[in-house]
Amino acid sequence: MSASQVKELRERTGLGLLECKKALSAANGDIDAAIEELRKSSGMKAAKKAGRTAADGIVSARVADDGSYGVLVEVNSETDFVARDESFLGFVEQVVDRAFETRETDVATLMADGLEQTREALVQKIGENIGVRRIALTNAENGVVGAYVHGNNRIAVLVELQSGDQDLARDVAMHVAAVNPQVVQPSDMPAELVEKEKEIYTAQALDSGKPAEIVEKMIGGRIKKYLAENSLVDQAFVKDPDTTVGKLVSSAGASVVSFSRFEVGEGIEVETVDFAAEVAAQLKS
């Protein structure tokens, strides 16, 4: 086992000096055999780290040159520091490449055939849990897909338009990133959400002591406002508040079909640890 072999193994695996020396010694100086063993142990260590919450990371989007389809991908890390790491970003690029080429949205299927091993090796190298969380695919039936990724790579959006062009779709995607509408049209709002809002507004209106007919009008007005504020086409366009997104798109002879919006870590519950409370509890016991 020579110093040059140790150096090569470190460069090929990104692992520490002592670990590489130990692996080479066990493999009698055979670098490929050492890498194979390290990959096995790497998988074990990656599995141990898999229990840690990865709620940071980045999102990425890619759209076909002709705007016929696009993909969104979210890849998570535990910290923002790792989310800026070159190796992590390179892995994300590989995932996006595969998703774009195959149009596969099932994460397990996408990660087969080598990507999962790449992920495990990266976990071993970086020392944090890393995971591909979700993939979205948007196909344009008779229109175009446009994308917008916010500068910090924490919000990414795909928008599908009926007619129109990619520039218009990108403008709408930028609006979706900034304002975060819930649905495209008011009629798309789930009935249970509307009913929930109606219950809240009804309780508020009844407390006002106004006559029943006035209360009914108040509730109707507030529901209409709620739908307008949360429906993409009725929202004031972020780049020109004097027009709505719906009017902007229709003036170009187009209409909004759908949108997908990914924000890093949304919906992931992160366990917070109160170390002071833990110490106090231990002292009491």
Side-chain angles (χ1 to χ4, degrees):
M1 178 179 62
S2 65
S4 62
Q5 286 178 307
V6 176
K7 181 175 182 291
E8 181 180 346
L9 185 58
R10 291 192 69 191
E11 289 174 349
R12 290 176 64 178
T13 63
L15 298 176
L17 177 65
L18 292 177
E19 193 162 7
C20 287
K21 278 186 174 182
K22 183 178 178 182
L24 270 174
S25 178
N28 295 318
D30 186 327
I31 291 178
D32 290 331
I35 289 174
E36 185 64 29
E37 288 306 310
L38 283 169
R39 283 182 62 188
K40 291 176 183 177
S41 62
S42 169
M44 291 171 61
K45 292 182 180 181
K48 290 179 182 178
K49 293 182 176 70
R52 303 201 309 231
T53 303
D56 217 295
I58 68 169
V59 289
S60 184
R62 186 175 299 173
V63 174
D65 290 340
D66 62 0
S68 58
Y69 76 100
V71 295
L72 285 181
V73 173
E74 179 181 358
V75 182
N76 298 123
S77 60
E78 292 180 47
T79 64
D80 178 60
F81 177 78
V82 166
R84 300 192 302 270
D85 180 85
E86 296 258 337
S87 299
F88 176 81
L89 295 175
F91 172 67
V92 174
E93 191 70 15
Q94 291 182 60
V95 173
V96 175
D97 285 345
R98 179 78 62 84
F100 186 76
E101 290 166 7
T102 64
R103 306 193 193 192
E104 177 60 64
T105 58
D106 180 76
V107 173
T109 302
L110 185 85
M111 295 299 287
D113 194 25
L115 269 183
E116 177 58 22
Q117 286 72 26
T118 302
R119 184 196 70 82
E120 290 177 355
L122 186 60
V123 170
Q124 170 67 22
K125 176 182 177 181
I126 290 178
E128 281 195 12
N129 188 19
I130 291 166
V132 179
R133 183 185 181 199
R134 52 182 171 165
I135 307 159
L137 169 70
T138 299
N139 287 302
E141 295 291 334
N142 297 298
V144 66
V145 175
Y148 172 78
V149 180
H150 195 57
N152 59 8
N153 293 323
R154 297 186 68 83
I155 300 174
V157 178
L158 290 178
V159 165
E160 178 190 358
L161 298 182
Q162 179 88 24
S163 300
D165 57 32
Q166 281 187 279
D167 287 338
L168 178 60
R170 185 182 184 278
D171 272 349
V172 176
M174 183 187 298
H175 173 94
V176 172
V179 183
N180 194 16
Q182 292 188 52
V183 294
V184 174
Q185 307 275 355
S187 58
D188 298 329
M189 188 68 72
E192 59 270 21
L193 289 183
V194 176
E195 191 59 35
K196 183 178 178 181
E197 291 299 314
K198 189 173 182 180
E199 288 176 8
I200 294 171
Y201 297 148
T202 298
Q204 293 174 347
L206 289 174
D207 285 344
S208 68
K210 291 182 170 59
E213 61 273 15
I214 301 297
V215 166
E216 192 65 30
K217 287 181 180 180
M218 289 172 62
I219 295 169
R222 289 185 180 183
I223 290 295
K224 185 176 180 180
K225 183 182 178 184
Y226 166 77
L227 291 173
E229 288 176 344
N230 291 282
S231 303
L232 174 60
V233 297
D234 286 342
Q235 290 177 337
F237 181 45
V238 70
K239 290 172 70 174
D240 180 8
D242 291 332
T243 190
T244 64
V245 173
K247 289 178 181 177
L248 170 77
V249 172
S250 63
S251 66
S255 60
V256 181
V257 177
S258 68
F259 68 84
S260 296
R261 183 183 188 275
F262 281 4
E263 185 168 352
V264 171
E266 61 187 347
I268 298 176
E269 291 187 14
V270 180
E271 183 180 355
T272 56
V273 180
D274 188 336
F275 291 107
E278 280 193 1
V279 172
Q282 289 176 7
L283 289 172
K284 286 182 180 178
S285 62

